[in-house]
Amino acid sequence: MTSCWVVLCMLVPFTLTTAHQHSHERLGGGAWGWRCVNQTCVREEQQQQQQQQDEGPPHTTLSSLSTCKLTCRPDASIWPTPTGLLRLHNETVYFLLDSVTLREVRGGGGEVKGLVRDAFSIFLSSLASLIPGSSPASTSLRAGDHLREDIFGRQVKAEKVTVSVSVSSKVSTLSLYTREAYTLTIRRHNTTTTEVAILASDFYGARHALETLSQLVEWDQQMRALQMVSRGAITDAPVFRYRGLMVDTARNFLSVKALERTVDGMAATKLNTLHLHLTDSHAFPLQLPGLANMAYYGAYSPRNLYTPEDLRHLQRYARVRGVRLVPEIDAPAHAGNGWQWGEREDMGNLAVCVNKEPWREFCSEPPCGQLNPANNHTYTLLSHLYAELRSIFHPLQFFHFGGSEVNMNCWNTTDNIVEYLKQTGRGRENEHLQNLWGEFQSRAKNLLADVNRGRPFLGIVRYSTLIATESSQRNLSPEEYAVQVTGPNSEKVTSDLLQKGYRVILSHNDAWDLGAGFSGSFRSEVKNYIGWQTVYNQSLSSGTSNLVGSGQSDLMLGGEALLWGHRVDDANIDAKLWPRGAALGERLWSNPSTSWFSAEPRFIHHRQRLLRRGIMADRIQPQWCHQNEGLCYL
């Protein structure tokens, strides 16, 4: 018995180790692959397939998931889906990153050509993100040092990919009149060259074309090389001109790096407007020349500040990625910390009700604070502030005034303001206080117009009781303002605004409030978390269905998702924005007639792309669902 146990004890470890090694070899050899069946990538066991087919090398039997996505269906790897022609061949060509060159840039003028070259460098970085391994390994994989000197290796090393870009317009600034359109063609010139030609209406169209081209490239793990579709043609242009995200930098500070990542995600998704809610009653994180007191009293710490160079850098960073920045200084409400030093400088109360308690009587959330419309020094300071912002965000084409949630009880219980109303022949009724609000808004708009030196810009305000009044057009001219509708989806509100001639940006909080569903948020009226499906399905045609084809239909500029900063900072901003922001991107770019269900496989694939580019997008499904397309239906 003793000898038998000794034999068993010797055999069992050997058997287990051998089995473990065999399993490891199977996994390391890539046991699974994907086959395109009825435009769906179906997962199969690689070894079983090899037993059925004797001809051809093993790597030709089944493809990787990324390769299958690239060739199985024309739009399977593209996000957002193009709005025009989409014709892609299901064969790929292999190449090395170091073999991709920008052959020429035609038209557009010197500044546009420089922007295209910068955008091409970003395109190459996107391709580099596909290559696995650390930097030294990636360098080797870029150049092809890892390839054997066989027929395939020599062919990959010889392959060239050339990109030519032609731009029609010399305009380099993104406006509401920028078309952002492009045509992208891919063809084989000879046995060793793939030629890509981009025809763009403007720089922004060219940049979008390069983004689409990057999505037609994948890394083949089996062949250890990049691959792209060998032939194709795409024509594309956005449906809506304003495709935005709003982030809040006042309630919790967001670093420049976090904002850069936000821009990167927007560029990958063809969103074009980053709305910066820079200040609020909580904080004033701007360090501006001549306005040191505002940062001193308003910043959370000396490290939680944006300098002018920080913001100029961010604007340059965003521009070459096809994104405009829209600054917001919320006023006259939501202005407290940062403004409370006026009396110390013999300027009176610049803001009133600052940090006043009980807060529910004087504001919509703590801490309270509203600008003082009865103090001329308030307007002098606003003029200085606007001048500084104009120099940073030059050319200033858009400015968000905030303009909502004014608490009338705050003004009505401030002696200085009550006395001002009396001196100007007004009482303390709501009508007179609304008139005071309108007066403030008119003066603020004129101050910004003065410092902008007569150059036109579009003012943006949130929908409020001021706009809802019959006299709204007296203080808020439809020629000068766009209105952001942030409440629940209301066809009547949207239709009324369009009928009055206002340009409209939809931000319905029951569909596009990305901060909803988290406890402790004062802002959101929506209590439930908003999933990407709801974001995707929100149609911009509600409220305009009776205006299609009319002059008012052109007033619908687009939409913007909101991320208020109560529970957001550098640690979680990526997961809060992405990939739900990508669902918004396709809605605003393509305005698809289909629902989220048909888009889901492409959406999950795009989320993986965001991860590769360094954006920590939230997980949507188990990985099994990504590998087994269409089987995780509800």
Side-chain angles (χ1 to χ4, degrees), residues 268-280:
T269 308
K270 299 188 176 75
L271 291 164
N272 71 354
T273 304
L274 178 58
H275 167 190
L276 297 173
H277 182 80
L278 290 169
T279 66
D280 210 286

Side-chain angles (χ1 to χ4, degrees), residues 171-184:
V171 176
S172 59
T173 302
L174 182 61
S175 74
L176 290 177
Y177 306 102
T178 306
R179 291 182 56 211
E180 303 179 71
Y182 68 89
T183 297
L184 171 68

Side-chain angles (χ1 to χ4, degrees), residues 93-109:
V93 58
Y94 292 93
F95 64 96
L96 300 170
L97 181 58
D98 287 352
S99 300
V100 184
T101 59
L102 180 62
R103 181 179 178 184
E104 62 180 344
V105 183
R106 295 179 179 176

Side-chain angles (χ1 to χ4, degrees), residues 60-98:
T60 62
T61 57
L62 294 173
S63 67
S64 66
L65 179 58
S66 59
T67 301
C68 184
K69 293 278 188 181
L70 195 61
T71 58
C72 188
R73 206 177 81 184
D75 66 343
S77 66
I78 303 177
W79 192 277
T81 188
T83 56
L85 174 71
L86 175 59
R87 189 173 298 158
L88 299 174
H89 203 267
N90 61 1
E91 292 182 357
T92 63
V93 58
Y94 292 93
F95 64 96
L96 300 170
L97 181 58
D98 287 352

Side-chain angles (χ1 to χ4, degrees), residues 256-272:
V256 173
K257 286 296 182 184
L259 295 175
E260 286 177 353
R261 291 198 310 274
T262 299
V263 170
D264 291 340
M266 295 175 70
T269 308
K270 299 188 176 75
L271 291 164
N272 71 354

Side-chain angles (χ1 to χ4, degrees), residues 44-194:
E44 297 180 5
E45 189 173 0
Q46 186 83 275
Q47 292 180 353
Q48 291 179 350
Q49 183 63 29
Q50 290 174 1
Q51 293 171 2
Q52 296 172 8
Q53 294 186 5
D54 296 329
E55 69 276 6
H59 63 258
T60 62
T61 57
L62 294 173
S63 67
S64 66
L65 179 58
S66 59
T67 301
C68 184
K69 293 278 188 181
L70 195 61
T71 58
C72 188
R73 206 177 81 184
D75 66 343
S77 66
I78 303 177
W79 192 277
T81 188
T83 56
L85 174 71
L86 175 59
R87 189 173 298 158
L88 299 174
H89 203 267
N90 61 1
E91 292 182 357
T92 63
V93 58
Y94 292 93
F95 64 96
L96 300 170
L97 181 58
D98 287 352
S99 300
V100 184
T101 59
L102 180 62
R103 181 179 178 184
E104 62 180 344
V105 183
R106 295 179 179 176
E111 186 176 17
V112 168
K113 289 180 180 179
L115 287 169
V116 171
R117 294 188 185 97
D118 290 343
F120 187 78
S121 296
I122 296 169
F123 162 74
L124 293 179
S125 297
S126 296
L127 298 194
S129 71
L130 299 168
I131 302 175
S134 60
S135 296
S138 297
T139 301
S140 174
L141 295 175
R142 288 169 61 115
D145 297 339
H146 63 291
L147 294 174
R148 292 183 299 179
E149 286 299 323
D150 55 12
I151 294 176
F152 174 77
R154 290 192 295 271
Q155 183 178 353
V156 173
K157 290 180 179 180
E159 184 67 30
K160 306 296 180 186
V161 177
T162 64
V163 180
S164 299
V165 180
S166 296
V167 181
S168 300
S169 173
K170 294 182 179 180
V171 176
S172 59
T173 302
L174 182 61
S175 74
L176 290 177
Y177 306 102
T178 306
R179 291 182 56 211
E180 303 179 71
Y182 68 89
T183 297
L184 171 68
T185 58
I186 305 170
R187 68 186 184 95
R188 296 283 288 156
H189 178 64
N190 51 46
T191 57
T192 60
T193 303
T194 301

